[in-house]
Amino acid sequence: MKITVLGNNSTTVTQGGACSSYLLEVEGRRILLDMGNGSIFNLKKRVKLHEIDAIILTHHHFDHLSDLFLFRYEREGHKYMGEEVSPIDLYTPEMPQWLQENLMKNDLFRLHVIKGDTKVSMGDLTVAFIEVLHLLETYALRFTHDGKIFTYSADTGVCDGIYEAAREADLFLCEASYGSYEPYRMKHHLHGAEAGEIAEKCGVKKLLLTHLPEENLDGLLQEARAVHEDTEISEILKTYEV
Ligand SMILES: [Zn+2]
Ligand SMILES: [Zn+2]
């Protein structure tokens, strides 16, 4: 499995940055995990939109889905110009009506609604959707292929689901929205030390931090590394192999 980071900012986009989006390539398949604001520009540096086989939304916050509207709009434009545009598989928690109406018109996506913990197979790739603690219905993604495990935390606080999702992962792409030294605490996000603790307790090999704050990434990295040594800060347009 190859994972390319297309966006790794949390809710605030940095200059030249982008919010959550990752391209997973396996067995010739290309699967997009979330599509936050700014990510479509990075996606286009790697592949063309029609080369995407499936899109997975972990939840419906704008920093994870904004650019899906641009994706849809561009595909729709090609359709109006007379090109053959076949629908792309879209896996998502149940959408509110306004979102479903916007995304699903003109048959640009083939909808697969995720309800509760679910496993989906795509060839030899399996993805487990595991519900985690956030402000609304959200799924961590646990991919298994050829004996390897790649987990993406989505947005989450500390909960049973994220422990289940990260268990013995070879690569754990985990949100770390702030440092433990920050004055506030949020139950629905993780700080760097919590991400490190989950990785360590789950026997994760490599921890890759994402959904990053604007400042003091070094502090974030150091506190996660103090708990789980093999930890890195994710980099936009860098590809990680599992
Ligand atoms: Zn969120
Ligand atoms: Zn988010």
Side-chain angles (χ1 to χ4, degrees):
M1 291 181 274
K2 287 201 299 183
I3 297 98
T4 303
V5 177
L6 305 174
N8 63 1
N9 296 164
S10 56
T11 43
T12 315
V13 186
T14 56
Q15 201 171 33
C19 286
S20 292
S21 186
Y22 312 91
L23 175 65
L24 171 63
E25 294 173 277
V26 55
E27 282 187 336
R29 273 196 181 76
R30 296 187 174 100
I31 304 164
L32 262 183
L33 318 180
D34 286 335
M35 217 176 164
N37 29 323
S39 63
I40 196 168
F41 308 110
N42 293 329
L43 174 65
K44 286 188 167 206
K45 290 175 188 164
R46 287 290 180 272
V47 294
K48 295 185 168 53
L49 299 193
H50 71 264
E51 294 172 330
I52 299 297
D53 297 292
I55 298 172
I56 300 176
L57 294 179
T58 60
H59 66 300
H60 298 148
H61 279 153
F62 283 106
D63 60 323
H64 296 254
L65 75 79
S66 291
D67 279 11
L68 188 57
F69 294 102
L70 304 181
F71 186 107
R72 202 203 80 83
Y73 194 58
E74 185 170 324
R75 302 264 300 163
E76 190 173 49
H78 284 285
K79 198 165 184 170
Y80 282 139
M81 305 278 267
E83 284 180 37
E84 190 168 328
V85 174
S86 44
I88 291 175
D89 287 314
L90 175 65
Y91 297 84
T92 169
E94 191 149 31
M95 291 188 271
Q97 194 181 351
W98 70 267
L99 182 58
Q100 176 137 348
E101 280 172 6
N102 274 278
L103 286 181
M104 297 312 296
K105 59 186 175 187
N106 284 336
D107 295 328
L108 293 156
F109 298 114
R110 199 177 303 113
L111 182 61
H112 306 267
V113 177
I114 303 301
K115 285 183 188 163
D117 290 5
T118 306
K119 266 189 192 170
V120 172
S121 292
M122 303 179 192
D124 286 344
L125 177 73
T126 301
V127 52
F129 294 78
I130 299 169
E131 195 159 6
V132 289
L133 175 69
H134 198 41
L135 292 167
L136 72 184
E137 188 179 359
T138 300
Y139 294 93
L141 307 174
R142 177 183 169 92
F143 295 91
T144 48
H145 180 261
D146 202 16
K148 299 282 186 182
I149 300 165
F150 160 56
T151 295
Y152 167 41
S153 67
D155 284 4
T156 186
V158 176
C159 62
D160 291 346
I162 195 58
Y163 276 94
E164 186 189 335
R167 191 171 24 89
E168 292 174 356
D170 296 278
L171 179 67
F172 180 31
L173 177 65
C174 184
E175 76 128 292
S177 300
Y178 60 111
S180 62
Y181 38 81
E182 299 290 352
Y184 43 82
R185 283 282 179 277
M186 291 181 280
K187 277 190 180 162
H188 54 276
H189 282 295
L190 298 173
H191 58 60
E194 286 170 332
E197 267 170 42
I198 294 165
E200 189 63 16
K201 285 185 184 162
C202 287
V204 161
K205 286 196 179 127
K206 180 179 282 296
L207 170 62
L208 191 59
L209 300 176
T210 191
H211 206 270
L212 304 165
E214 282 182 272
E215 292 176 349
N216 200 4
L217 294 185
D218 199 45
L220 195 72
L221 178 62
Q222 292 319 319
E223 69 171 25
R225 259 193 194 156
V227 192
H228 185 78
E229 202 178 328
D230 191 354
T231 300
E232 281 180 36
I233 296 276
S234 63
E235 288 177 41
I236 289 180
L237 291 175
K238 188 166 172 181
T239 299
Y240 302 83
E241 285 206 40
V242 185

